[in-house]
Amino acid sequence: MSFLQEVVDILLAYIVESFDRETKVIDFHYPNELMQRNNWELQDEPESLDDILVSCRATLKYAIKTAHPRYFNQLSTGLDMVGLAADWLTSTANTNMFTYEVAPVFVLLEYVTLKKMREIIGWQDGSGDGIFSPGGAISNMYAMLLARFKMFPEVKEKGMSSVPRLAAFTSEHSHFSIKKGAAALGIGTESVICVKGFVPFFVSATAGTTVYGAFDPLIAVSDICKKYNVWFHVDGAWGGSLLMSRRHRWKLDGVDRANSVTWNPHKMMSVPLQCSALLVREEGLMQNCNQMHACYLFQQDKHYDLSYDTGDKALQCGRHVDIFKLWLMWRAKAPASVDIDCVCLCLCSQPQHTNVCFWYLPPGMRHIVDKEEKNKRLHKVAPVIKARMMEYGTTMVSYQPQGDKVNFFRMVISNPAATFEDIDFLIEEIERLGHDL
Amino acid sequence: MSFLQEVVDILLAYIVESFDRETKVIDFHYPNELMQRNNWELQDEPESLDDILVSCRATLKYAIKTAHPRYFNQLSTGLDMVGLAADWLTSTANTNMFTYEVAPVFVLLEYVTLKKMREIIGWQDGSGDGIFSPGGAISNMYAMLLARFKMFPEVKEKGMSSVPRLAAFTSEHSHFSIKKGAAALGIGTESVICVKGFVPFFVSATAGTTVYGAFDPLIAVSDICKKYNVWFHVDGAWGGSLLMSRRHRWKLDGVDRANSVTWNPHKMMSVPLQCSALLVREEGLMQNCNQMHACYLFQQDKHYDLSYDTGDKALQCGRHVDIFKLWLMWRAKAPASVDIDCVCLCLCSQPQHTNVCFWYLPPGMRHIVDKEEKNKRLHKVAPVIKARMMEYGTTMVSYQPQGDKVNFFRMVISNPAATFEDIDFLIEEIERLGHDL
Ligand SMILES: Cc1ncc(COP(=O)(O)O)c(C=O)c1O
Ligand SMILES: Cc1ncc(COP(=O)(O)O)c(C=O)c1O
């Protein structure tokens, strides 16, 4: 117990430090360098608890401070104290979501929360189904799996040889998990987007794309899906949380027409990782699609209402308790929303979400007339600035190319601790680190 | 901060209580009853931090005490203080495993630990590959996915229509996740076990079956796989941890011949949930099989060694940090092993692992001669005793039928806090609760 308290003291100090703008976001070292900075090896002799505390401190020393107000690198940022407390409680309760019997409260809270999310989506009385999965990629895969099962239930027993070649449609800017799902499910990545002669079974519209934060027109897409009787999935992993915002909800107009929705509270809502939900309009389908009736878990002669043994809906057997963080944060905040807008620099796309995508054009390149030459040089700017930024460790932001656009920065605001000053700081830092390029 | 400390105080008290044999394992209520015992609803008004503390207490009050020495219900039991501390640290660091850039230390620790696990399996110099996944079911699915890709790499782009019908082989007592995997991957559950005319591509041998804890003969199975050039997977989700035991390691003789091994430290090794590894003998295959080259994460022009960006090996995008718990516990304990043996009651199978499977025959049934009549009545004994047990909440054990065997109890010892007295207590409790049946 005193050991645990000592760890807590270390963690509390780390949290205070993480929110302090004077500390670095990262104390960066290259992999082989980091390997040598500490003894990370697994030995045959046990360590004392004091040594264990030393390991904890070393781990935190080189960790990225994802709660830092100047960390803009990923969609998941920030650290909420209620969420953190809930995660600590979850670890302490250390149980498994597969049956009511071993997780009565958490199963109920999942029930309550999924229902509320479905109400917010706009499904009649919050009816339908759903599950928390280990992340948006898996939630999207579930959606595809359900769509296929809905159209061809025999695929469960007979495999893909029993069905025609299928096609899934999604936009170029959709998340790569749609393709990963298609590959895993035996559909094949070539079937994603559009192939003639294949039977369309699944459309995934993105509500908040990963890079630009753009929203597909859900109503228009849903009309087409309805016409061709195709499963309509909304990947709201990133943008789904705007359903909680009075001001921004309209961007998801039409979401209530979806057959399934992915919504990741671990991104925009700052719930600690992992926390992703798949919501499904049709009740019973998940169970039919995934159940295998393992009789050592889902005994039919149990003494309580078996519909609370939700485990057979999942692809997983053991399933981590991801619900409590979200539930407790929701209780503490109620439908709070993130109402930030901002514009800056040389935008590559009109922001629809809190993604702000931009190039930094160093002074020396501003007068290059030849477009190709300019793009060629501009493409190299972001990686160099990012590398320097990580060396200094003062802030972090991500970059990527997209389509015909050369490397640009993607700043994401999902950290409630970030202020306008922090955004200005990022811009100044980019200028400072890149003006000589 | 003081809020976090208050939560910690609640958690520390809960832990002390959990290890106390005087407390109940569970304060059981039926779902609708539990729903009414507290206000679990999500409201529109935020709650105060004091109310949040009340919610935390209520949640723990009705939680199952999985650390309790008399909790024998699942394969994952017990609570290790170092593992718990590591999980709290992980929550606080709140980052994502997809790239080195956002999780440098954790990526290194995963590297170090997976290598060590491969050495223990017996692969040359610990070479090969691997990943931590959200559980054994997903690890098994990865194995099947890799096996298919290895034999038919075109399946990734072209789907199952490009390959012959496949067959996967596994024993009747194997875990249901093998079938779930086959269904999800478009192979179909009918292809699991044996169908004539199908091309065998995958054999899963179980090292420690879920119910009996039995070990398939790995050497014999590997010989067959070698002969027919079929992927040899060992599902050691439950039994894999015996590789750490000098006394029991022989049960997995031949594991070094496997192409892939599932090994769940969150079961036998008492690492807090979730912690499951898939180890793969061939390097590079996971990357080839699963990569989609998302350029917003896996930029090729980064300034560090890109082999540390392990994210594209996974089906997941965001991936929870599951490594630190295992790594820290390993450091604290070094290769400790669980060397328990025990026999009792009317065994349904010879124990090979810490699963002890038995019937309790109430006195009133002992003299029934008609076998069918006896079995019919015996089948109803375990569910009634289990229901009574949960009402009393004094201990918990699981039951199931299997094949032609009627409902029997499966006691599992994976909780380091359990003593011989606790096992005796369970037996006495079963006697007390069932002698009138
Ligand atoms: C033999 C075996 N394999 C796989 C699994 C699935 O593991 P998990 O619950 O981590 O998904 C289990 C779980 O009991 C198991 O016993
Ligand atoms: C639009 C979209 N969908 C799905 C995902 C995958 O979510 P996860 O990382 O939780 O798997 C992401 C992640 O960035 C995303 O942006």
Side-chain angles (χ1 to χ4, degrees), chain B residues 386-399:
Chain B
K386 173 71 178 271
R388 291 179 181 173
M389 192 180 271
M390 289 184 71
E391 296 277 358
Y392 282 98
T394 47
T395 179
M396 261 175 94
V397 66
S398 110
Y399 74 88

Side-chain angles (χ1 to χ4, degrees), chain B residues 55-68:
Chain B
S55 289
C56 288
R57 281 195 204 91
T59 300
L60 290 173
K61 174 164 165 41
Y62 300 109
I64 309 297
K65 300 202 168 49
T66 58
H68 197 292

Side-chain angles (χ1 to χ4, degrees), chain B residues 260-314:
Chain B
S260 55
V261 179
T262 293
W263 175 352
N264 279 13
H266 74 205
K267 296 194 194 289
M268 200 65 194
M269 289 164 77
S270 289
V271 175
L273 279 160
Q274 56 191 45
C275 190
S276 168
L278 178 76
L279 293 314
V280 182
R281 189 160 53 179
E282 181 176 332
E283 242 169 299
L285 193 66
M286 291 201 88
Q287 184 79 16
N288 286 337
C289 178
N290 293 326
Q291 72 189 355
M292 289 293 159
H293 304 288
C295 57
Y296 79 95
L297 275 178
F298 310 117
Q299 302 91 334
Q300 294 303 304
D301 44 12
K302 282 187 185 177
H303 60 126
Y304 57 81
D305 177 354
L306 296 177
S307 72
Y308 288 94
D309 280 358
T310 53
D312 221 10
K313 289 181 196 177

Side-chain angles (χ1 to χ4, degrees), chain A residues 1 4-5 8 11-12 15 28-31 34 39-42 44-47 52 55 59 62 64 66 71 73-74 78 81 84 87-88 91-95 98 100-102 104-105 108-109 116 134 137 141 145 148 156-161 165 175-176 179-180 183-190 210 272-274 290 292 294-297 299 301 303-304 308 312 314 316-317 320 324 327-328 330-332 334 383 386-387 390 396 399-401 407, chain B residues 1 4-5 8 11-12 15 28-31 34 39-42 44-47 52 55 59 62 64 66 71 73-74 78 81 84 87-88 91-95 98 100-102 104-105 108-109 116 134 137 141 145 148 156-161 165 175-176 179-180 183-190 210 272-274 290 292 294-297 299 301 303 308 312 314 316-317 320 324 327-328 330-332 334 383 386-387 390 396 399-401 407:
Chain A
M1 292 298 144
L4 269 182
Q5 185 59 54
V8 167
L11 297 179
L12 295 179
I15 295 168
F28 180 77
H29 301 278
Y30 290 91
L34 182 54
N39 166 15
W40 306 108
E41 290 301 329
L42 292 167
D44 288 343
E45 289 309 310
E47 285 193 337
I52 290 294
S55 289
T59 300
Y62 299 109
I64 310 296
T66 58
Y71 175 77
N73 206 68
Q74 306 298 142
M81 289 307 116
L84 182 62
D87 217 13
W88 289 1
S91 308
T92 311
N94 190 34
T95 197
F98 43 44
Y100 178 81
E101 153 184 351
V102 303
V105 184
L108 278 194
L109 298 185
K116 190 81 181 182
M141 191 169 99
L145 188 65
R148 181 177 70 180
K156 184 173 176 182
E157 288 84 30
K158 307 219 172 286
M160 288 293 285
S161 62
R165 290 198 66 178
H175 191 256
F176 66 83
K179 282 200 167 186
K180 283 212 182 192
L185 304 186
I187 291 161
T189 54
E190 283 183 3
T210 315
L273 278 160
Q274 56 191 43
N290 293 327
M292 288 294 159
C295 59
Y296 78 96
L297 274 178
Q299 302 90 335
D301 44 12
H303 60 125
Y304 57 82
Y308 288 93
D312 222 10
Q316 298 184 254
C317 167
H320 188 261
F324 190 62
W327 180 81
L328 202 66
W330 199 317
R331 295 271 285 208
K386 173 71 178 272
M390 288 184 70
M396 260 175 96
Y399 74 87
Q400 63 283 298
N407 276 328
Chain B
M1 291 300 144
L4 270 182
Q5 185 59 56
V8 167
L11 297 179
L12 295 179
I15 295 168
F28 181 77
H29 301 277
Y30 291 91
L34 182 54
N39 166 15
W40 307 108
E41 290 302 327
L42 292 167
D44 287 342
E45 289 308 309
E47 284 192 339
I52 290 295
S55 289
T59 300
Y62 300 109
I64 309 297
T66 58
Y71 175 77
N73 207 68
Q74 306 297 143
M81 288 308 115
L84 182 62
D87 216 13
W88 288 2
S91 308
T92 310
N94 191 34
T95 196
F98 42 44
Y100 178 81
E101 142 186 1
V102 303
V105 185
L108 279 195
L109 299 185
K116 190 82 182 180
M141 191 169 100
L145 189 65
R148 182 176 69 180
K156 184 173 176 183
E157 287 85 30
K158 307 221 172 284
M160 289 292 286
S161 63
R165 290 198 67 179
H175 192 256
F176 67 84
K179 284 200 167 188
K180 283 212 182 191
L185 304 186
I187 292 162
T189 55
E190 282 182 3
T210 316
L273 279 160
Q274 56 191 45
N290 293 326
M292 289 293 159
C295 57
Y296 79 95
L297 275 178
Q299 302 91 334
D301 44 12
H303 60 126
Y308 288 94
D312 221 10
Q316 297 185 255
C317 168
H320 189 261
F324 191 62
W327 180 81
L328 202 66
W330 200 315
R331 295 270 284 208
K386 173 71 178 271
M390 289 184 71
M396 261 175 94
Y399 74 88
Q400 63 283 298
N407 277 327

Side-chain angles (χ1 to χ4, degrees), chain A residues 199-377:
Chain A
V199 176
F201 78 111
F202 181 78
V203 172
S204 176
T206 314
T209 59
T210 315
V211 175
Y212 291 149
F215 288 77
D216 284 338
L218 304 187
I219 293 182
V221 176
S222 84
D223 284 344
I224 297 171
C225 290
K226 201 169 167 192
K227 184 161 164 202
Y228 295 101
N229 197 21
V230 165
W231 185 280
F232 175 37
H233 175 63
V234 174
D235 177 3
W238 173 223
S241 301
L242 292 191
L243 289 168
M244 310 279 281
S245 156
R246 245 177 256 168
R247 218 168 118 202
H248 295 292
R249 194 195 146 94
W250 61 271
K251 293 174 187 167
L252 286 110
D253 275 355
V255 67
D256 55 310
R257 303 182 186 191
N259 294 97
S260 55
V261 179
T262 292
W263 173 353
N264 279 15
H266 74 206
K267 297 193 194 287
M268 198 66 195
M269 289 164 78
S270 289
V271 175
L273 278 160
Q274 56 191 43
C275 190
S276 167
L278 178 76
L279 294 312
V280 182
R281 188 157 57 179
E282 181 175 330
E283 242 169 298
L285 192 66
M286 290 201 90
Q287 184 78 18
N288 287 337
C289 178
N290 293 327
Q291 71 189 355
M292 288 294 159
H293 304 288
C295 59
Y296 78 96
L297 274 178
F298 311 117
Q299 302 90 335
Q300 294 304 302
D301 44 12
K302 281 186 186 177
H303 60 125
Y304 57 82
D305 177 354
L306 295 177
S307 72
Y308 288 93
D309 280 359
T310 53
D312 222 10
K313 290 181 194 178
L315 277 178
Q316 298 184 254
C317 167
R319 191 159 60 90
H320 188 261
V321 177
D322 298 330
I323 180 61
F324 190 62
K325 302 170 278 201
L326 171 59
W327 180 81
L328 202 66
M329 281 179 67
W330 199 317
R331 295 271 285 208
K333 285 174 213 259
S337 67
V338 192
D339 287 333
I340 306 180
D341 282 311
C342 51
V343 238
C344 51
L345 295 192
C346 195
L347 295 178
C348 341
S349 74
Q350 201 49 41
Q352 297 182 38
H353 199 4
T354 71
N355 308 43
V356 184
C357 294
F358 60 92
W359 289 284
Y360 168 71
L361 203 59
M365 292 185 197
R366 287 186 195 156
H367 303 294
I368 302 176
V369 186
D370 184 63
K371 254 209 161 144
E372 210 166 305
E373 167 70 14
K374 195 168 182 170
N375 271 339
K376 217 174 113 191
R377 288 185 53 188

